[in-house]
Amino acid sequence: SAFSTIAVDTTPILASMLSDPSLLGNGIPIIKTTGVDVDYGTFDVLDPGASSDQLDDGSAVIAQVQRMGGDDAKQAIERANIALSGWKDGTTAMHRSDILSKWSSLIKENSEDIATIMTMESGKP
């Protein structure tokens, strides 16, 4: 299977608001089992609290995200099922506990940036 990435292009405005802009990531990896990449284009993620002027001048755009088709969604679900099997059958309870503890620590360490991202997504400052 070939790996591909669903593009997520964040605006410099959102990135500049964060202590760690790498939290925005640079795409969502998916498995392409068909070997055919179809470009469905992108769509804008808008700040729901934006004014009509911001909507008109484009400054309400938080990010642009690649559209996915039905085959892409099926492949993403397939990959999630594969990952679940590996997680469930390939890790001990102690290892899963260690991973979840690390995840919890990362959330706490980055809580301010996560709050900023969530605020922008909800449009409620």
Side-chain angles (χ1 to χ4, degrees):
S1 295
F3 285 87
S4 187
T5 301
I6 298 299
V8 177
D9 182 25
T10 57
T11 64
I13 295 169
L14 179 56
S16 71
M17 297 171 73
L18 305 178
S19 299
D20 183 1
S22 72
L23 291 173
L24 297 171
N26 60 358
I28 304 163
I30 62 168
I31 294 176
K32 290 288 193 179
T33 57
T34 61
V36 177
D37 285 330
V38 178
D39 184 2
Y40 294 103
T42 60
F43 65 92
D44 292 337
V45 178
L46 302 174
D47 174 358
S51 68
S52 59
D53 288 341
Q54 290 172 309
L55 292 170
D56 290 341
D57 70 14
S59 64
V61 177
I62 298 170
Q64 286 189 322
V65 179
Q66 185 74 35
R67 290 185 189 278
M68 292 177 62
D71 287 340
D72 295 318
K74 288 177 188 173
Q75 291 166 14
I77 293 167
E78 180 180 306
R79 182 160 184 207
N81 282 326
I82 291 167
L84 176 61
S85 292
W87 171 262
K88 182 176 63 168
D89 301 330
T91 59
T92 65
M94 182 58 77
H95 187 211
R96 290 191 299 268
S97 173
D98 290 343
I99 291 170
L100 291 173
S101 291
K102 176 65 176 170
W103 184 35
S104 173
S105 294
L106 288 170
I107 289 171
K108 290 173 187 170
E109 289 168 20
N110 294 287
S111 63
E112 291 294 320
D113 281 348
I114 292 169
T116 298
I117 294 167
M118 293 178 73
T119 298
M120 291 296 292
E121 289 175 346
S122 70
K124 298 181 183 198

